Amino acid sequence: MIEESIPGTVPNWIGGEQSEALSGKVFDKLSPHSGKPLYQVVRSMAGDIERAVRVAREAQPGWAGLTPVRRGEVLHDIARLMRRDQEDIAAVVALETGMSFTAAMGETGAAIAQGEFMAGEGRRFYGRTTTSAIPHRHASTVRQPVGVAGLIIAANTPIANVAWKVFPALICGNTAVLKAAEDTPATAWLFGRIAQEAGVPAGVLNIIQGQGEEAGAPLVAHPGVDVVSFTGSTAVGRRIAAVAGERLARVSLELGGKNALVVCEDADLENALHWTLLAAFSNAGQRCAAASRIIVFDAIYEPFHDRLIERVRRLRVGPDDGDDLGPVINQRQLDNLLAFIARAKEAGAVIASGGCRLDDEAHAKGFYLAPTIIEGAGPHDEISVTELFGPVTCLYRVGGFAEALHMVNDSPYGLTAAIHTGSIHRATEFTQQVQAGVAVVNGGTHGSEPHMPFGGLKQSGNGSREPGTEALDVYSELKDIYIHSDPGQL
Ligand code: NAD
């Protein structure tokens, strides 16, 4: 049982060793399913960040001195050990998030795929060779490391979030300080243990446990951190951009979404229902790419609505493999969701399904919200323009394509969007005109692949794309090289 090997107090990994926080303080990690403490976690602060960044800086030249191919081999070994330990990792992910073991296995598989893809980048790592206007001058580019990467992640898909940041940062020759999400500390700790076993040199990957203000903020502000990559809320991302911008550190922001899924009257309704349920409620709606606005053509609104409500009421909520969705990550998030729902009701929206905490014996102690469908909210109401990050979605009725597209784009966010239609014309126009970093036809709003760039427009990010080959642009500097040869010297 891997759960038994999680330390009673989850430590940091600094310089290849596990360590307590200098403050000596700890906090409790609670089970989202039972509400009971699982273990304690060290509460790192500026002094711990200082140590970790120093160690990362010292290790960086040695790591950068390895060839990208060699670095790729080390990353490949991490991925290989992750595959060996896939069930253990998934068990920890399930324990910390309350998602089912099967869902956690899927997420862990995606994290491994990310590792394998980035390991392979060590043998590509392409620059550009091009022409010069000047005779006997040869122009090309190479990638070089940025330095020390400060990585800060959310808890929603914890092992995937670690993988999306650590693998591209390391393949590029950076060393890293990862601030684990406070709700999923053991997942990050376990990754650190695997990296150690795979032979990642001491100091190359340091993992810090702690709270956002106490451990995340000092990492962002540290002058020894050359690139900050953040996955989390738009509000925190905005502050990170301001602090890092002050010292012109590079920043990559993967932020929130208010993603729309459009159902046209010519859609395959069964397929649209299937993807609506998955996109809105899988992982308890805790996905940046979750579908939180379902925009339905008037002509099929009633049948779609009725079938959706019926199916939502049949969703099984719990931590087991037969369940469709689990709890949300913590009490604060549950309270936030309930407050949003109450305000939407006050503003005139109708709760078509759910809307309350599950208080039966099986769920009462956990952070369980009934899967919730809201109708009748205005397109600019709080609930329509704010990311909730939970199993809550709103239904909207539109007259046709133009109105639907306008509603999709009339949002502060621009992460992902989907359309369900049988028309190649609608599908093509939608994918071309929608203001989102990801556009999907006849599928869900989520489900990005590790070799594809992911990121959003507007308040969903700052224009960077991770992972995919494009992540290399976040974690490397391009250098132009011009070589002049002299034919007279031949
Ligand atoms: P959050 O912004 O509250 O926290 C995310 C991380 O930032 C945590 O590790 C936290 O400790 C840290 N943090 C908090 N305050 C900080 C500060 N002042 N300085 C530095 N670090 C700080 O987000 P959350 O509620 O934990 O996660 C949910 C959010 O993450 C949602 O908005 C979701 O859309 C977003 N998300 C985005 C993506 C993406 O790829 N676009 C993926 C997953 C989640």
Side-chain angles (χ1 to χ4, degrees), residues 107 110-111 114 151-168 178-179 181 184 187 191 229 231-232 254 283 286 288 389 466 475:
E107 186 202 316
Q114 180 60 248
L151 311 173
I152 301 177
I153 51 174
N156 59 329
T157 48
I159 190 66
N161 291 359
V162 170
W164 276 36
K165 301 262 182 253
V166 170
F167 285 117
L178 171 79
K179 209 293 276 171
T184 48
T187 303
F191 184 90
S229 178
T231 293
E254 301 287 350
N283 206 24
Q286 299 168 115
C288 53
F389 218 58
E466 299 179 55
Y475 296 104

PDB file of all heavy atoms in Angstrom, residues 107 110-111 114 151-168 178-179 181 184 187 191 229 231-232 254 283 286 288 389 466 475:
ATOM      1  N   GLU A 107      -5.155   9.853 -15.697  1.00  0.00           N
ATOM      2  CA  GLU A 107      -4.365  11.082 -15.564  1.00  0.00           C
ATOM      3  C   GLU A 107      -2.868  10.755 -15.476  1.00  0.00           C
ATOM      4  O   GLU A 107      -2.027  11.435 -16.077  1.00  0.00           O
ATOM      5  CB  GLU A 107      -4.818  11.832 -14.308  1.00  0.00           C
ATOM      6  CG  GLU A 107      -4.144  13.168 -14.183  1.00  0.00           C
ATOM      7  CD  GLU A 107      -4.142  13.686 -12.753  1.00  0.00           C
ATOM      8  OE1 GLU A 107      -5.185  13.582 -12.087  1.00  0.00           O
ATOM      9  OE2 GLU A 107      -3.106  14.201 -12.319  1.00  0.00           O
ATOM     10  N   ALA A 110      -1.451  10.050 -18.782  1.00  0.00           N
ATOM     11  CA  ALA A 110      -1.194  11.278 -19.550  1.00  0.00           C
ATOM     12  C   ALA A 110       0.111  11.928 -19.090  1.00  0.00           C
ATOM     13  O   ALA A 110       0.870  12.477 -19.904  1.00  0.00           O
ATOM     14  CB  ALA A 110      -2.365  12.247 -19.389  1.00  0.00           C
ATOM     15  N   ALA A 111       0.380  11.842 -17.787  1.00  0.00           N
ATOM     16  CA  ALA A 111       1.629  12.424 -17.272  1.00  0.00           C
ATOM     17  C   ALA A 111       2.835  11.653 -17.813  1.00  0.00           C
ATOM     18  O   ALA A 111       3.862  12.246 -18.170  1.00  0.00           O
ATOM     19  CB  ALA A 111       1.618  12.405 -15.742  1.00  0.00           C
ATOM     20  N   GLN A 114       3.458  12.572 -21.334  1.00  0.00           N
ATOM     21  CA  GLN A 114       4.142  13.871 -21.385  1.00  0.00           C
ATOM     22  C   GLN A 114       5.649  13.681 -21.208  1.00  0.00           C
ATOM     23  O   GLN A 114       6.457  14.277 -21.918  1.00  0.00           O
ATOM     24  CB  GLN A 114       3.586  14.769 -20.271  1.00  0.00           C
ATOM     25  CG  GLN A 114       4.184  16.141 -20.198  1.00  0.00           C
ATOM     26  CD  GLN A 114       3.959  16.913 -21.466  1.00  0.00           C
ATOM     27  OE1 GLN A 114       4.897  17.195 -22.204  1.00  0.00           O
ATOM     28  NE2 GLN A 114       2.727  17.225 -21.769  1.00  0.00           N
ATOM     29  N   LEU A 151       8.204  26.872 -10.721  1.00  0.00           N
ATOM     30  CA  LEU A 151       6.995  26.223 -11.252  1.00  0.00           C
ATOM     31  C   LEU A 151       5.931  26.185 -10.153  1.00  0.00           C
ATOM     32  O   LEU A 151       6.191  25.689  -9.056  1.00  0.00           O
ATOM     33  CB  LEU A 151       7.329  24.803 -11.712  1.00  0.00           C
ATOM     34  CG  LEU A 151       8.572  24.663 -12.610  1.00  0.00           C
ATOM     35  CD1 LEU A 151       8.892  23.188 -12.867  1.00  0.00           C
ATOM     36  CD2 LEU A 151       8.364  25.410 -13.930  1.00  0.00           C
ATOM     37  N   ILE A 152       4.751  26.693 -10.452  1.00  0.00           N
ATOM     38  CA  ILE A 152       3.673  26.723  -9.448  1.00  0.00           C
ATOM     39  C   ILE A 152       2.426  26.118 -10.080  1.00  0.00           C
ATOM     40  O   ILE A 152       2.035  26.507 -11.183  1.00  0.00           O
ATOM     41  CB  ILE A 152       3.396  28.176  -8.998  1.00  0.00           C
ATOM     42  CG1 ILE A 152       4.684  28.781  -8.410  1.00  0.00           C
ATOM     43  CG2 ILE A 152       2.263  28.226  -7.969  1.00  0.00           C
ATOM     44  CD1 ILE A 152       4.563  30.230  -7.992  1.00  0.00           C
ATOM     45  N   ILE A 153       1.809  25.168  -9.366  1.00  0.00           N
ATOM     46  CA  ILE A 153       0.724  24.404  -9.991  1.00  0.00           C
ATOM     47  C   ILE A 153      -0.526  24.326  -9.109  1.00  0.00           C
ATOM     48  O   ILE A 153      -0.453  24.470  -7.895  1.00  0.00           O
ATOM     49  CB  ILE A 153       1.177  22.967 -10.333  1.00  0.00           C
ATOM     50  CG1 ILE A 153       1.820  22.294  -9.105  1.00  0.00           C
ATOM     51  CG2 ILE A 153       2.115  22.977 -11.515  1.00  0.00           C
ATOM     52  CD1 ILE A 153       2.157  20.832  -9.336  1.00  0.00           C
ATOM     53  N   ALA A 154      -1.641  24.042  -9.792  1.00  0.00           N
ATOM     54  CA  ALA A 154      -2.922  23.805  -9.118  1.00  0.00           C
ATOM     55  C   ALA A 154      -3.056  22.322  -8.792  1.00  0.00           C
ATOM     56  O   ALA A 154      -2.279  21.490  -9.268  1.00  0.00           O
ATOM     57  CB  ALA A 154      -4.071  24.252 -10.025  1.00  0.00           C
ATOM     58  N   ALA A 155      -4.077  22.001  -7.993  1.00  0.00           N
ATOM     59  CA  ALA A 155      -4.224  20.634  -7.473  1.00  0.00           C
ATOM     60  C   ALA A 155      -5.147  19.759  -8.324  1.00  0.00           C
ATOM     61  O   ALA A 155      -5.253  18.561  -8.071  1.00  0.00           O
ATOM     62  CB  ALA A 155      -4.791  20.700  -6.050  1.00  0.00           C
ATOM     63  N   ASN A 156      -5.804  20.329  -9.338  1.00  0.00           N
ATOM     64  CA  ASN A 156      -6.948  19.618  -9.930  1.00  0.00           C
ATOM     65  C   ASN A 156      -6.586  18.301 -10.608  1.00  0.00           C
ATOM     66  O   ASN A 156      -7.290  17.313 -10.467  1.00  0.00           O
ATOM     67  CB  ASN A 156      -7.692  20.544 -10.901  1.00  0.00           C
ATOM     68  CG  ASN A 156      -6.813  21.031 -12.022  1.00  0.00           C
ATOM     69  OD1 ASN A 156      -5.609  21.205 -11.855  1.00  0.00           O
ATOM     70  ND2 ASN A 156      -7.409  21.265 -13.168  1.00  0.00           N
ATOM     71  N   THR A 157      -5.498  18.297 -11.376  1.00  0.00           N
ATOM     72  CA  THR A 157      -5.001  17.053 -11.987  1.00  0.00           C
ATOM     73  C   THR A 157      -3.524  16.987 -11.583  1.00  0.00           C
ATOM     74  O   THR A 157      -2.642  17.352 -12.359  1.00  0.00           O
ATOM     75  CB  THR A 157      -5.162  17.070 -13.520  1.00  0.00           C
ATOM     76  OG1 THR A 157      -4.671  18.321 -14.024  1.00  0.00           O
ATOM     77  CG2 THR A 157      -6.609  16.913 -13.930  1.00  0.00           C
ATOM     78  N   PRO A 158      -3.242  16.556 -10.368  1.00  0.00           N
ATOM     79  CA  PRO A 158      -1.952  16.893  -9.760  1.00  0.00           C
ATOM     80  C   PRO A 158      -0.725  16.294 -10.424  1.00  0.00           C
ATOM     81  O   PRO A 158       0.289  16.968 -10.545  1.00  0.00           O
ATOM     82  CB  PRO A 158      -2.095  16.381  -8.319  1.00  0.00           C
ATOM     83  CG  PRO A 158      -3.228  15.440  -8.319  1.00  0.00           C
ATOM     84  CD  PRO A 158      -4.141  15.859  -9.436  1.00  0.00           C
ATOM     85  N   ILE A 159      -0.820  15.025 -10.890  1.00  0.00           N
ATOM     86  CA  ILE A 159       0.399  14.454 -11.474  1.00  0.00           C
ATOM     87  C   ILE A 159       0.593  14.982 -12.898  1.00  0.00           C
ATOM     88  O   ILE A 159       1.721  15.234 -13.333  1.00  0.00           O
ATOM     89  CB  ILE A 159       0.413  12.903 -11.401  1.00  0.00           C
ATOM     90  CG1 ILE A 159       1.783  12.351 -11.775  1.00  0.00           C
ATOM     91  CG2 ILE A 159      -0.675  12.279 -12.251  1.00  0.00           C
ATOM     92  CD1 ILE A 159       2.891  12.696 -10.819  1.00  0.00           C
ATOM     93  N   ALA A 160      -0.510  15.210 -13.605  1.00  0.00           N
ATOM     94  CA  ALA A 160      -0.389  15.798 -14.946  1.00  0.00           C
ATOM     95  C   ALA A 160       0.187  17.216 -14.841  1.00  0.00           C
ATOM     96  O   ALA A 160       1.033  17.621 -15.645  1.00  0.00           O
ATOM     97  CB  ALA A 160      -1.746  15.825 -15.638  1.00  0.00           C
ATOM     98  N   ASN A 161      -0.255  17.961 -13.842  1.00  0.00           N
ATOM     99  CA  ASN A 161       0.239  19.330 -13.701  1.00  0.00           C
ATOM    100  C   ASN A 161       1.743  19.350 -13.408  1.00  0.00           C
ATOM    101  O   ASN A 161       2.474  20.205 -13.925  1.00  0.00           O
ATOM    102  CB  ASN A 161      -0.526  20.068 -12.592  1.00  0.00           C
ATOM    103  CG  ASN A 161      -1.975  20.344 -12.972  1.00  0.00           C
ATOM    104  OD1 ASN A 161      -2.402  20.006 -14.073  1.00  0.00           O
ATOM    105  ND2 ASN A 161      -2.731  20.953 -12.078  1.00  0.00           N
ATOM    106  N   VAL A 162       2.201  18.404 -12.577  1.00  0.00           N
ATOM    107  CA  VAL A 162       3.645  18.304 -12.318  1.00  0.00           C
ATOM    108  C   VAL A 162       4.380  18.007 -13.631  1.00  0.00           C
ATOM    109  O   VAL A 162       5.361  18.665 -13.978  1.00  0.00           O
ATOM    110  CB  VAL A 162       3.945  17.191 -11.278  1.00  0.00           C
ATOM    111  CG1 VAL A 162       5.436  16.913 -11.200  1.00  0.00           C
ATOM    112  CG2 VAL A 162       3.410  17.574  -9.899  1.00  0.00           C
ATOM    113  N   ALA A 163       3.877  17.015 -14.355  1.00  0.00           N
ATOM    114  CA  ALA A 163       4.560  16.570 -15.575  1.00  0.00           C
ATOM    115  C   ALA A 163       4.610  17.671 -16.633  1.00  0.00           C
ATOM    116  O   ALA A 163       5.631  17.850 -17.311  1.00  0.00           O
ATOM    117  CB  ALA A 163       3.848  15.338 -16.137  1.00  0.00           C
ATOM    118  N   TRP A 164       3.488  18.415 -16.763  1.00  0.00           N
ATOM    119  CA  TRP A 164       3.419  19.455 -17.792  1.00  0.00           C
ATOM    120  C   TRP A 164       4.472  20.539 -17.574  1.00  0.00           C
ATOM    121  O   TRP A 164       4.846  21.241 -18.499  1.00  0.00           O
ATOM    122  CB  TRP A 164       2.028  20.100 -17.793  1.00  0.00           C
ATOM    123  CG  TRP A 164       1.021  19.351 -18.595  1.00  0.00           C
ATOM    124  CD1 TRP A 164       0.922  18.003 -18.725  1.00  0.00           C
ATOM    125  CD2 TRP A 164      -0.042  19.906 -19.366  1.00  0.00           C
ATOM    126  NE1 TRP A 164      -0.155  17.694 -19.529  1.00  0.00           N
ATOM    127  CE2 TRP A 164      -0.755  18.834 -19.933  1.00  0.00           C
ATOM    128  CE3 TRP A 164      -0.465  21.210 -19.614  1.00  0.00           C
ATOM    129  CZ2 TRP A 164      -1.865  19.021 -20.757  1.00  0.00           C
ATOM    130  CZ3 TRP A 164      -1.567  21.405 -20.429  1.00  0.00           C
ATOM    131  CH2 TRP A 164      -2.262  20.318 -20.998  1.00  0.00           C
ATOM    132  N   LYS A 165       4.891  20.710 -16.329  1.00  0.00           N
ATOM    133  CA  LYS A 165       5.878  21.765 -16.054  1.00  0.00           C
ATOM    134  C   LYS A 165       7.293  21.201 -15.979  1.00  0.00           C
ATOM    135  O   LYS A 165       8.220  21.757 -16.565  1.00  0.00           O
ATOM    136  CB  LYS A 165       5.559  22.439 -14.702  1.00  0.00           C
ATOM    137  CG  LYS A 165       4.193  23.078 -14.626  1.00  0.00           C
ATOM    138  CD  LYS A 165       4.282  24.561 -14.890  1.00  0.00           C
ATOM    139  CE  LYS A 165       2.953  25.251 -14.780  1.00  0.00           C
ATOM    140  NZ  LYS A 165       2.378  25.648 -16.060  1.00  0.00           N
ATOM    141  N   VAL A 166       7.463  20.098 -15.209  1.00  0.00           N
ATOM    142  CA  VAL A 166       8.821  19.647 -14.902  1.00  0.00           C
ATOM    143  C   VAL A 166       9.534  19.120 -16.152  1.00  0.00           C
ATOM    144  O   VAL A 166      10.691  19.470 -16.409  1.00  0.00           O
ATOM    145  CB  VAL A 166       8.797  18.571 -13.791  1.00  0.00           C
ATOM    146  CG1 VAL A 166      10.168  17.910 -13.645  1.00  0.00           C
ATOM    147  CG2 VAL A 166       8.359  19.186 -12.473  1.00  0.00           C
ATOM    148  N   PHE A 167       8.854  18.283 -16.950  1.00  0.00           N
ATOM    149  CA  PHE A 167       9.557  17.674 -18.084  1.00  0.00           C
ATOM    150  C   PHE A 167      10.064  18.720 -19.087  1.00  0.00           C
ATOM    151  O   PHE A 167      11.237  18.680 -19.454  1.00  0.00           O
ATOM    152  CB  PHE A 167       8.661  16.619 -18.758  1.00  0.00           C
ATOM    153  CG  PHE A 167       8.537  15.338 -17.966  1.00  0.00           C
ATOM    154  CD1 PHE A 167       7.312  14.919 -17.466  1.00  0.00           C
ATOM    155  CD2 PHE A 167       9.654  14.544 -17.721  1.00  0.00           C
ATOM    156  CE1 PHE A 167       7.198  13.740 -16.741  1.00  0.00           C
ATOM    157  CE2 PHE A 167       9.551  13.352 -16.993  1.00  0.00           C
ATOM    158  CZ  PHE A 167       8.316  12.954 -16.497  1.00  0.00           C
ATOM    159  N   PRO A 168       9.222  19.663 -19.528  1.00  0.00           N
ATOM    160  CA  PRO A 168       9.779  20.641 -20.476  1.00  0.00           C
ATOM    161  C   PRO A 168      10.837  21.556 -19.854  1.00  0.00           C
ATOM    162  O   PRO A 168      11.814  21.912 -20.516  1.00  0.00           O
ATOM    163  CB  PRO A 168       8.560  21.447 -20.949  1.00  0.00           C
ATOM    164  CG  PRO A 168       7.450  21.108 -20.027  1.00  0.00           C
ATOM    165  CD  PRO A 168       7.768  19.786 -19.399  1.00  0.00           C
ATOM    166  N   LEU A 178       9.850  23.517  -7.863  1.00  0.00           N
ATOM    167  CA  LEU A 178       8.405  23.337  -8.051  1.00  0.00           C
ATOM    168  C   LEU A 178       7.704  23.591  -6.723  1.00  0.00           C
ATOM    169  O   LEU A 178       8.016  22.944  -5.719  1.00  0.00           O
ATOM    170  CB  LEU A 178       8.120  21.905  -8.502  1.00  0.00           C
ATOM    171  CG  LEU A 178       6.645  21.490  -8.526  1.00  0.00           C
ATOM    172  CD1 LEU A 178       5.943  22.026  -9.764  1.00  0.00           C
ATOM    173  CD2 LEU A 178       6.506  19.970  -8.480  1.00  0.00           C
ATOM    174  N   LYS A 179       6.743  24.523  -6.717  1.00  0.00           N
ATOM    175  CA  LYS A 179       5.904  24.711  -5.521  1.00  0.00           C
ATOM    176  C   LYS A 179       4.682  23.836  -5.718  1.00  0.00           C
ATOM    177  O   LYS A 179       3.845  24.099  -6.576  1.00  0.00           O
ATOM    178  CB  LYS A 179       5.508  26.192  -5.395  1.00  0.00           C
ATOM    179  CG  LYS A 179       5.271  26.663  -3.968  1.00  0.00           C
ATOM    180  CD  LYS A 179       4.057  26.049  -3.288  1.00  0.00           C
ATOM    181  CE  LYS A 179       2.782  26.790  -3.638  1.00  0.00           C
ATOM    182  NZ  LYS A 179       1.585  26.054  -3.138  1.00  0.00           N
ATOM    183  N   ALA A 181       1.072  22.025  -5.184  1.00  0.00           N
ATOM    184  CA  ALA A 181      -0.236  22.531  -4.750  1.00  0.00           C
ATOM    185  C   ALA A 181      -0.484  22.047  -3.321  1.00  0.00           C
ATOM    186  O   ALA A 181      -0.223  20.880  -3.007  1.00  0.00           O
ATOM    187  CB  ALA A 181      -1.325  22.025  -5.687  1.00  0.00           C
ATOM    188  N   THR A 184      -2.433  18.803  -2.843  1.00  0.00           N
ATOM    189  CA  THR A 184      -1.943  17.521  -3.376  1.00  0.00           C
ATOM    190  C   THR A 184      -0.430  17.391  -3.125  1.00  0.00           C
ATOM    191  O   THR A 184       0.351  17.181  -4.060  1.00  0.00           O
ATOM    192  CB  THR A 184      -2.254  17.395  -4.887  1.00  0.00           C
ATOM    193  OG1 THR A 184      -1.856  18.609  -5.543  1.00  0.00           O
ATOM    194  CG2 THR A 184      -3.708  17.137  -5.134  1.00  0.00           C
ATOM    195  N   THR A 187       1.470  13.781  -3.956  1.00  0.00           N
ATOM    196  CA  THR A 187       1.673  13.466  -5.377  1.00  0.00           C
ATOM    197  C   THR A 187       3.005  14.061  -5.837  1.00  0.00           C
ATOM    198  O   THR A 187       3.813  13.389  -6.497  1.00  0.00           O
ATOM    199  CB  THR A 187       0.521  14.034  -6.224  1.00  0.00           C
ATOM    200  OG1 THR A 187      -0.713  13.512  -5.729  1.00  0.00           O
ATOM    201  CG2 THR A 187       0.673  13.677  -7.682  1.00  0.00           C
ATOM    202  N   PHE A 191       6.558  12.136  -6.894  1.00  0.00           N
ATOM    203  CA  PHE A 191       7.261  12.412  -8.158  1.00  0.00           C
ATOM    204  C   PHE A 191       8.741  12.705  -7.862  1.00  0.00           C
ATOM    205  O   PHE A 191       9.632  12.239  -8.568  1.00  0.00           O
ATOM    206  CB  PHE A 191       6.624  13.598  -8.889  1.00  0.00           C
ATOM    207  CG  PHE A 191       7.230  13.864 -10.234  1.00  0.00           C
ATOM    208  CD1 PHE A 191       6.733  13.255 -11.371  1.00  0.00           C
ATOM    209  CD2 PHE A 191       8.328  14.721 -10.369  1.00  0.00           C
ATOM    210  CE1 PHE A 191       7.300  13.488 -12.619  1.00  0.00           C
ATOM    211  CE2 PHE A 191       8.906  14.959 -11.607  1.00  0.00           C
ATOM    212  CZ  PHE A 191       8.386  14.342 -12.737  1.00  0.00           C
ATOM    213  N   SER A 229       6.617  29.649 -14.345  1.00  0.00           N
ATOM    214  CA  SER A 229       5.487  29.067 -15.063  1.00  0.00           C
ATOM    215  C   SER A 229       4.410  28.716 -14.044  1.00  0.00           C
ATOM    216  O   SER A 229       4.668  28.005 -13.071  1.00  0.00           O
ATOM    217  CB  SER A 229       5.924  27.830 -15.843  1.00  0.00           C
ATOM    218  OG  SER A 229       4.780  27.284 -16.471  1.00  0.00           O
ATOM    219  N   THR A 231       0.316  27.544 -13.258  1.00  0.00           N
ATOM    220  CA  THR A 231      -1.015  27.046 -13.611  1.00  0.00           C
ATOM    221  C   THR A 231      -1.916  27.283 -12.413  1.00  0.00           C
ATOM    222  O   THR A 231      -1.670  26.740 -11.330  1.00  0.00           O
ATOM    223  CB  THR A 231      -0.975  25.550 -13.946  1.00  0.00           C
ATOM    224  OG1 THR A 231      -0.219  25.386 -15.143  1.00  0.00           O
ATOM    225  CG2 THR A 231      -2.373  25.001 -14.190  1.00  0.00           C
ATOM    226  N   GLY A 232      -2.934  28.098 -12.585  1.00  0.00           N
ATOM    227  CA  GLY A 232      -3.837  28.395 -11.482  1.00  0.00           C
ATOM    228  C   GLY A 232      -4.859  29.434 -11.883  1.00  0.00           C
ATOM    229  O   GLY A 232      -5.152  29.613 -13.079  1.00  0.00           O
ATOM    230  N   GLU A 254      -0.965  29.782 -17.299  1.00  0.00           N
ATOM    231  CA  GLU A 254      -2.062  28.912 -17.763  1.00  0.00           C
ATOM    232  C   GLU A 254      -3.190  29.093 -16.766  1.00  0.00           C
ATOM    233  O   GLU A 254      -3.130  28.561 -15.657  1.00  0.00           O
ATOM    234  CB  GLU A 254      -1.606  27.453 -17.796  1.00  0.00           C
ATOM    235  CG  GLU A 254      -0.409  27.173 -18.696  1.00  0.00           C
ATOM    236  CD  GLU A 254      -0.746  27.210 -20.169  1.00  0.00           C
ATOM    237  OE1 GLU A 254      -1.935  27.260 -20.518  1.00  0.00           O
ATOM    238  OE2 GLU A 254       0.197  27.209 -20.973  1.00  0.00           O
ATOM    239  N   ASN A 283     -14.099  14.811 -13.233  1.00  0.00           N
ATOM    240  CA  ASN A 283     -13.184  15.465 -12.278  1.00  0.00           C
ATOM    241  C   ASN A 283     -13.918  16.531 -11.460  1.00  0.00           C
ATOM    242  O   ASN A 283     -13.333  17.534 -11.046  1.00  0.00           O
ATOM    243  CB  ASN A 283     -11.972  16.061 -12.995  1.00  0.00           C
ATOM    244  CG  ASN A 283     -10.763  16.157 -12.084  1.00  0.00           C
ATOM    245  OD1 ASN A 283     -10.657  15.423 -11.103  1.00  0.00           O
ATOM    246  ND2 ASN A 283      -9.867  17.065 -12.374  1.00  0.00           N
ATOM    247  N   GLN A 286     -13.592  20.219 -12.018  1.00  0.00           N
ATOM    248  CA  GLN A 286     -12.372  20.951 -11.649  1.00  0.00           C
ATOM    249  C   GLN A 286     -11.341  20.819 -12.762  1.00  0.00           C
ATOM    250  O   GLN A 286     -10.310  20.162 -12.621  1.00  0.00           O
ATOM    251  CB  GLN A 286     -11.824  20.420 -10.326  1.00  0.00           C
ATOM    252  CG  GLN A 286     -12.813  20.611  -9.185  1.00  0.00           C
ATOM    253  CD  GLN A 286     -12.403  19.834  -7.954  1.00  0.00           C
ATOM    254  OE1 GLN A 286     -12.090  20.408  -6.938  1.00  0.00           O
ATOM    255  NE2 GLN A 286     -12.399  18.516  -8.059  1.00  0.00           N
ATOM    256  N   CYS A 288      -9.631  23.365 -15.907  1.00  0.00           N
ATOM    257  CA  CYS A 288      -9.620  24.691 -16.538  1.00  0.00           C
ATOM    258  C   CYS A 288     -10.450  24.637 -17.814  1.00  0.00           C
ATOM    259  O   CYS A 288     -11.019  25.636 -18.235  1.00  0.00           O
ATOM    260  CB  CYS A 288      -8.198  25.116 -16.831  1.00  0.00           C
ATOM    261  SG  CYS A 288      -7.280  23.888 -17.775  1.00  0.00           S
ATOM    262  N   PHE A 389     -15.148  26.484 -11.112  1.00  0.00           N
ATOM    263  CA  PHE A 389     -14.254  25.359 -10.850  1.00  0.00           C
ATOM    264  C   PHE A 389     -14.918  24.311  -9.963  1.00  0.00           C
ATOM    265  O   PHE A 389     -14.446  23.995  -8.870  1.00  0.00           O
ATOM    266  CB  PHE A 389     -12.938  25.858 -10.220  1.00  0.00           C
ATOM    267  CG  PHE A 389     -11.743  25.093 -10.720  1.00  0.00           C
ATOM    268  CD1 PHE A 389     -11.456  25.042 -12.071  1.00  0.00           C
ATOM    269  CD2 PHE A 389     -10.906  24.414  -9.848  1.00  0.00           C
ATOM    270  CE1 PHE A 389     -10.362  24.337 -12.546  1.00  0.00           C
ATOM    271  CE2 PHE A 389      -9.813  23.692 -10.306  1.00  0.00           C
ATOM    272  CZ  PHE A 389      -9.539  23.667 -11.656  1.00  0.00           C
ATOM    273  N   GLU A 466       1.852  25.650 -23.382  1.00  0.00           N
ATOM    274  CA  GLU A 466       2.502  24.455 -22.863  1.00  0.00           C
ATOM    275  C   GLU A 466       1.460  23.354 -22.983  1.00  0.00           C
ATOM    276  O   GLU A 466       0.273  23.649 -22.898  1.00  0.00           O
ATOM    277  CB  GLU A 466       2.879  24.623 -21.396  1.00  0.00           C
ATOM    278  CG  GLU A 466       3.869  25.762 -21.106  1.00  0.00           C
ATOM    279  CD  GLU A 466       4.168  25.866 -19.606  1.00  0.00           C
ATOM    280  OE1 GLU A 466       4.581  24.871 -19.008  1.00  0.00           O
ATOM    281  OE2 GLU A 466       3.960  26.945 -19.054  1.00  0.00           O
ATOM    282  N   TYR A 475      10.725  27.610 -22.013  1.00  0.00           N
ATOM    283  CA  TYR A 475      11.846  27.221 -21.152  1.00  0.00           C
ATOM    284  C   TYR A 475      13.211  27.342 -21.828  1.00  0.00           C
ATOM    285  O   TYR A 475      14.199  26.820 -21.314  1.00  0.00           O
ATOM    286  CB  TYR A 475      11.642  25.789 -20.650  1.00  0.00           C
ATOM    287  CG  TYR A 475      10.424  25.659 -19.775  1.00  0.00           C
ATOM    288  CD1 TYR A 475       9.246  25.084 -20.260  1.00  0.00           C
ATOM    289  CD2 TYR A 475      10.422  26.136 -18.469  1.00  0.00           C
ATOM    290  CE1 TYR A 475       8.118  24.967 -19.456  1.00  0.00           C
ATOM    291  CE2 TYR A 475       9.309  26.028 -17.664  1.00  0.00           C
ATOM    292  CZ  TYR A 475       8.160  25.444 -18.159  1.00  0.00           C
ATOM    293  OH  TYR A 475       7.050  25.340 -17.362  1.00  0.00           O
TER     294      TYR A 475
END
